[in-house]
Amino acid sequence: MAFELNSVVPWGRTFTEYRQMFNLSAGDVTKKIVSIGDGPASFNAEMYAMGKRVTSIDPLYQFSADDIRKRIDETCVEVIGQMRANADKFVWNNIRDVEELQEIRMTAMNHFLQDFNYGCSQQRYINHAMPAKTPFADNAFELGLSSHFLLLYDNLGLKFHTEAIQEIMRICAELRIFPILNLNAATPAFFGELLDALGLNFNIDIQKVDYEFQKGGNQMLIIKRGI
Ligand SMILES: C[S@@+](CC[C@H](N)C(=O)[O-])C[C@H]1O[C@@H](n2cnc3c(N)ncnc32)[C@H](O)[C@@H]1O
């Protein structure tokens, strides 16, 4: 199915949020990292500004910076309206209120947009839709990250998730997924079955992290090679 820009609601998180969501240590950020479903997050741009390198994968990157900016402008007001209507479903500790959330998200997405063309020329932003085979060699990365993509969109189903994770584990030694919740803040129905399948080939762990915005979303799933 074609990936249509008018079906995307761009919404990007920051380096600080990635560090907390994935419990990234000083050593982790020096690793070769691939971030899947990275969208308009500023993680890649901020890491690059710190002299570190991340490869981001997302079908969003087939569109131009101008088109992505237009889509952000079209959708931002509606997303903020929905956040306001559903404010009780979120934890307002690190982020005080909807106004601060809008400020953080828009700053992150502007940072991404400023970096996007240059990052594409450096192959830091790769247009690719999972679960198709990525253009990377076996073991190309030490760490894979999925923020608010895998598991969140559980409507993509068990087969999609199994295939996407198998492909990511071909190119990465370790994958961290945050949160372990779908869009309704529930555990995906197929989660047990997915862990059973992955457990045949990989080491699986679930860890609590110092980040919770979706209520109950304070755990990451870690999948490692090594069995
Ligand atoms: C909610 S956004 C998360 C963006 C970013 N990771 C963050 O946390 O700020 C989900 C992202 O998943 C991307 N996505 C959707 N389908 C995908 C696929 N098949 N393969 C890779 N990324 C996909 C979307 O384009 C979007 O940018």
Side-chain angles (χ1 to χ4, degrees), residues 30-48:
T30 66
K31 290 179 178 165
K32 284 183 80 176
I33 296 179
V34 62
S35 190
I36 298 116
D38 215 26
S42 59
F43 178 62
N44 190 324
E46 291 186 73
M47 284 282 276
Y48 184 71

Side-chain angles (χ1 to χ4, degrees), residues 93-111:
N93 284 344
N94 292 348
I95 301 174
R96 270 192 320 268
D97 52 29
V98 176
E99 284 67 35
E100 191 181 37
L101 177 74
Q102 179 169 10
E103 170 75 30
I104 291 171
R105 292 284 171 271
M106 291 312 286
T107 304
M109 292 191 284
N110 281 324
H111 200 159

Side-chain angles (χ1 to χ4, degrees), residues 3 8 11-13 18 21 36-41 57-60 128-131 147-149 152-153 160:
F3 184 86
V8 179
W11 207 228
R13 292 169 185 79
Y18 271 59
M21 291 185 291
I36 298 116
D38 215 26
I57 292 180
D58 200 301
L60 181 71
H128 180 85
M130 302 304 299
S147 159
H148 297 83
F149 166 51
L152 188 72
Y153 299 128
F160 176 96

Side-chain angles (χ1 to χ4, degrees), residues 38-224:
D38 215 26
S42 59
F43 178 62
N44 190 324
E46 291 186 73
M47 284 282 276
Y48 184 71
M50 289 183 257
K52 310 193 189 314
R53 191 172 170 110
V54 174
T55 302
S56 298
I57 292 180
D58 200 301
L60 181 71
Y61 306 149
Q62 68 193 270
F63 303 107
S64 70
D66 281 351
D67 286 345
I68 298 171
R69 184 183 294 282
K70 264 189 228 137
R71 186 65 192 152
I72 291 170
D73 292 345
E74 278 165 17
T75 52
C76 177
V77 173
E78 192 192 327
V79 176
I80 288 299
Q82 284 174 8
M83 291 300 301
R84 206 166 268 126
N86 292 295
D88 60 322
K89 298 202 169 77
F90 298 91
V91 177
W92 300 97
N93 284 344
N94 292 348
I95 301 174
R96 270 192 320 268
D97 52 29
V98 176
E99 284 67 35
E100 191 181 37
L101 177 74
Q102 179 169 10
E103 170 75 30
I104 291 171
R105 292 284 171 271
M106 291 312 286
T107 304
M109 292 191 284
N110 281 324
H111 200 159
F112 158 79
L113 287 167
Q114 282 158 17
D115 182 52
F116 183 59
N117 286 339
Y118 183 55
C120 283
S121 74
Q122 292 192 314
Q123 299 192 311
R124 284 187 288 115
Y125 297 105
I126 305 289
N127 164 26
H128 180 85
M130 302 304 299
K133 188 171 184 194
T134 61
F136 305 108
D138 292 0
N139 256 322
F141 300 96
E142 292 168 282
L143 181 59
L145 303 176
S146 163
S147 159
H148 297 83
F149 166 51
L150 293 172
L151 302 180
L152 188 72
Y153 299 128
D154 63 348
N155 57 314
L156 293 169
L158 176 63
K159 184 169 181 288
F160 176 96
H161 279 78
T162 311
E163 289 176 6
I165 292 171
Q166 294 281 2
E167 169 57 13
I168 296 165
M169 295 310 294
R170 180 185 69 77
I171 61 171
C172 296
E174 175 180 347
L175 169 63
R176 300 182 192 177
I177 300 176
F178 180 93
I180 309 181
L181 292 180
N182 63 18
L183 287 167
N184 296 318
T187 306
F190 57 71
F191 189 57
E193 231 179 308
L194 179 68
L195 292 194
D196 287 347
L198 295 173
L200 297 175
N201 297 310
F202 305 112
N203 292 312
I204 308 286
D205 193 17
I206 292 177
Q207 278 182 18
K208 189 166 180 286
V209 298
D210 283 340
Y211 181 96
E212 183 177 356
F213 186 50
Q214 238 181 332
K215 273 186 186 162
N218 61 354
Q219 290 185 311
M220 70 169 160
L221 174 64
I222 305 178
I223 304 163
K224 279 188 192 172

